[in-house]
Amino acid sequence: MDQAMAISTAAVRSARHSGSGWLTVASVIAFVVVLPIGGLLLEAAKGSADLWGHLLSTTLPVALVDTIILLAGVGLVTAALGTTTAWLVTAYEFPGRRMLEWALLLPLAVPTYIIAYTYLDILHPIGSVQGAIRWLLGYDSPRQFRLPDTRSMIGCILLLGFVLYPYVYIPTRAMFLTQCGNLIDAARTLGISRRAVFWRVALPLARPAVAVGISLALMETLNDIGAAEFLGVRTLTVSVYTTWITRSDLPGAAQLALALLLIVVALVALERWARRKQHYATDARRSRGLTVQRVSRPKGMLLFLAGLMPVLLGFGAPAFYLTAEAWKRYQFAGLSSRIIDEAFNTIILAALATIATIVFGLVVAYATRVRPGAKSAMLLRVSSMGYAAPGTVIAIGVLIVLDGFDGFINRTATAWFGFSTGLIFIGSGIAVVYALTVRFLAISAGGIEAGLLRIPGSLDHAASSLGRSQTATFLHVHLPLSKAAISAAALLVFVDCVKELPATLLLRPLNIETFATHLYGEAARGTYEEASIAALAIVAISILPVILLSRVGRARSSIPR
């Protein structure tokens, strides 16, 4: 009896301390993520002497107004395109529908700065497109007729909308696919037309998904620096960059970055408010999906063309232009050694950041499995907060923190050993890897947590009854069964690291260029066609997660409804 009680007490004690090591490491990771935000607050508190007054009276009002107008416009365009295309391929059967289901994801492969540079050249007043339009209309020169300038707020809104609408399309289509067909049929039996069903039943039920998609698209808009700057829109993100680089005013940039962070917080709060009462439940065993309506061939062709338009504008035209320009560039100068160096730098930085992000994400996600509760859930949320912050904000926070560490190490080495260590963290690329890890840790932790949730808890108990430790269970049970989720998360993080411009631009070591920074530099000089090969490489790499998403979408849509 005493022996049984002793065993039971030991088991309880073991269970109480089980996973404490994972929780401790997860706490350290959460602290590492929060550190740049803390540095930002401290730097902003220093003030920037007379410059802040100048920023407050001149830069901030213009940047704030432009940012709000841009967010409102992009939100409207992405909501309209994402929702209508999702309903189109979910509710109607027409020729080419299967192809559109995955083709509508392709604009995700085109970063915002690349579509801006591309359309500036495609729609140039003396370019082939405007020349053809003038020829058709009987005009001879741009002075007689020219399209509205792409470098404008309207141009920026439309271009960003055409590449960011998939953020709304993906969750909204998933919501349409899982909506209960019984509700739609009940509405039809009450005499409501198919079009009215969309407005009065399907769209209200899908509103939470639309809100999530719009908030993601707006966060990408806030993160953008290349497109807005070259299209002449002075957003807060652009102002943060110019305040730091042009005016060399780090406290002022930190204060603007905090204002930018407040907008992000407001967006998240608005998204949660928009779907605060949007809850409904269905009987999963008896419910069936939406019945697809077959349409006539002429109407089907119109629906196909309507669905194809955003794909052509958001992916087809830029991809064709980049391919043609890259081929011309290759024939003229071949593949330069500079491109090879940039490819090496891009892959190395993205790979290191991906490894760090996956390892950190694995620890944080696994801590929630072995120590479920409020503390582990909070650590997961804190570790994921970097994804909501624009890359410019994180870059400035990382710079402030690592500059402090570099200064401390340099002073210590000089005082004790008589030599200077220089900028160990900022000058070696560690700062870029740090910023990318903080920025994309949410993708890693969220994806791996979803994979771990699919593993039944009975396997944990079986491993424990066989005397396996927590670490052994992780290595021999959870890790092999989570390979697919880890691989998918690694792919998404790697591609996002390749595409990321603001953090890489601000923190890269001197004389180190990646595809994204090379493209930005050429665009700044007005010679973006010189970087067409780099831009095409970014788009080609970015197609990989689109293929992954399309396979997931096909698997989901093939579930019997």
Side-chain angles (χ1 to χ4, degrees):
M1 184 67 177
D2 293 341
Q3 186 178 3
M5 289 183 62
I7 293 174
S8 175
T9 304
V12 171
R13 191 175 300 163
S14 174
R16 186 177 300 164
H17 291 89
S18 173
S20 58
W22 290 93
L23 204 60
T24 303
V25 179
S27 303
V28 173
I29 292 172
F31 176 73
V32 169
V33 171
V34 170
L35 205 53
I37 305 298
L40 204 62
L41 288 169
L42 290 177
E43 190 69 28
K46 293 179 182 176
S48 54
D50 297 335
L51 277 175
W52 174 242
H54 173 72
L55 293 174
L56 195 62
S57 60
T58 58
T59 304
L60 189 59
V62 176
L64 203 56
V65 170
D66 276 7
T67 302
I68 291 173
I69 294 174
L70 182 65
L71 291 178
V74 172
L76 284 174
V77 174
T78 53
L81 286 177
T83 307
T84 52
T85 51
W87 179 251
L88 197 113
V89 298
T90 307
Y92 297 99
E93 180 62 53
F94 53 86
R97 183 178 73 92
R98 295 287 182 187
M99 187 198 78
L100 276 184
E101 284 180 350
W102 60 265
L104 284 164
L105 299 172
L106 286 174
L108 274 180
V110 184
T112 52
Y113 51 89
I114 287 184
I115 196 169
Y117 306 153
T118 301
Y119 272 98
L120 277 177
D121 214 26
I122 291 176
L123 298 179
H124 196 278
I126 58 173
S128 55
V129 173
Q130 293 214 41
I133 295 174
R134 281 194 295 272
W135 178 77
L136 288 173
L137 297 177
Y139 295 110
D140 296 325
S141 73
R143 292 182 178 178
Q144 295 174 312
F145 175 82
R146 59 190 297 178
L147 295 176
D149 195 355
T150 311
R151 293 178 186 268
S152 62
M153 176 64 81
I154 297 294
C156 190
I157 288 172
L158 291 176
L159 291 182
L160 293 186
F162 278 119
V163 293
L164 297 178
Y165 79 84
Y167 285 99
V168 180
Y169 167 79
I170 295 171
T172 307
R173 179 168 173 261
M175 184 64 84
F176 286 152
L177 285 171
T178 55
Q179 278 182 356
C180 182
N182 298 336
L183 296 175
I184 308 292
D185 291 343
R188 296 300 304 275
T189 57
L190 293 174
I192 299 177
S193 66
R194 188 82 174 178
R195 183 178 300 175
V197 163
F198 170 74
W199 291 106
R200 298 173 63 178
V201 180
L203 188 57
L205 290 177
R207 215 173 78 184
V210 177
V212 170
I214 291 175
S215 63
L216 290 174
L218 296 188
M219 286 178 190
E220 287 296 326
T221 303
L222 283 176
N223 185 51
D224 169 76
I225 188 171
E229 183 178 5
F230 284 94
L231 294 175
V233 179
R234 289 192 60 81
T235 61
L236 272 173
T237 309
V238 174
S239 299
V240 170
Y241 178 73
T242 54
T243 300
W244 180 14
I245 299 298
T246 307
R247 298 188 176 95
S248 302
D249 180 15
L250 189 56
Q255 289 164 339
L256 289 175
L258 284 179
L260 190 59
L261 203 57
L262 285 177
I263 292 183
V264 173
V265 173
L267 281 177
V268 173
L270 186 64
E271 179 261 321
R272 292 183 181 276
W273 178 82
R275 56 188 178 96
R276 65 193 186 286
K277 295 180 180 178
Q278 303 298 313
H279 302 290
Y280 72 98
T282 61
D283 188 340
R285 293 169 300 178
R286 298 180 180 178
S287 66
R288 59 180 179 77
L290 180 67
T291 304
V292 179
Q293 181 185 11
R294 292 188 179 278
V295 297
S296 62
R297 182 170 291 275
K299 188 176 179 180
M301 290 300 295
L302 289 176
L303 293 180
F304 176 73
L305 291 175
L308 192 62
M309 184 195 67
V311 181
L312 292 178
L313 293 176
F315 178 81
F320 178 79
Y321 167 83
L322 289 176
T323 305
E325 290 297 322
W327 178 245
K328 282 195 290 188
R329 185 69 192 165
Y330 177 75
Q331 285 187 315
F332 175 73
L335 201 61
S336 69
S337 59
R338 181 182 177 183
I339 286 290
I340 297 173
D341 291 342
E342 289 165 1
F344 178 78
N345 296 334
T346 302
I347 292 172
I348 289 296
L349 287 176
L352 290 174
T354 301
I355 292 171
T357 306
I358 291 299
V359 171
F360 285 7
L362 193 57
V363 171
V364 174
Y366 196 66
T368 62
R369 182 179 180 90
V370 296
R371 289 295 293 266
K375 188 174 182 181
S376 59
M378 183 197 70
L379 291 175
L380 180 66
R381 284 197 294 273
V382 170
S383 303
S384 304
M385 64 186 293
Y387 192 67
T392 311
V393 175
I394 292 176
I396 292 181
V398 166
L399 176 76
I400 293 167
V401 171
L402 293 188
D403 183 56
F405 282 118
D406 273 339
F408 173 75
I409 293 173
N410 187 47
R411 286 192 299 272
T412 305
T414 304
W416 287 15
F417 306 106
F419 66 87
S420 172
T421 57
L423 302 174
I424 295 176
F425 296 113
I426 296 176
S428 63
I430 292 177
V432 180
V433 174
Y434 182 15
L436 294 177
T437 303
V438 172
R439 173 107 171 83
F440 300 120
L441 187 55
I443 300 175
S444 164
I448 295 172
E449 186 200 18
L452 289 172
L453 286 174
R454 293 175 178 272
I455 302 174
S458 57
L459 294 181
D460 299 42
H461 301 310
S464 178
S465 65
L466 291 172
R468 296 283 186 178
S469 65
Q470 201 83 64
T471 304
T473 305
F474 168 73
L475 291 175
H476 300 294
V477 179
H478 296 124
L479 196 57
L481 293 176
S482 303
K483 278 183 180 176
I486 294 172
S487 302
L491 175 63
L492 293 174
V493 171
F494 180 81
V495 173
D496 272 334
C497 291
V498 170
K499 292 163 58 179
E500 173 67 21
L501 175 62
T504 312
L505 184 67
L506 293 171
L507 295 174
R508 73 191 193 282
L510 292 175
N511 300 322
I512 294 293
E513 294 286 354
T514 65
F515 283 151
T517 60
H518 175 203
L519 181 57
Y520 178 87
E522 294 292 351
R525 291 186 286 272
T527 55
Y528 30 78
E529 66 277 2
E530 300 289 331
S532 53
I533 295 178
L536 188 64
I538 293 174
V539 174
I541 294 171
S542 303
I543 284 180
L544 296 176
V546 174
I547 296 172
L548 178 68
L549 284 172
S550 67
R551 293 187 61 179
V552 173
R554 277 203 300 273
R556 184 176 297 174
S557 60
S558 64
I559 296 173
R561 289 184 273 165

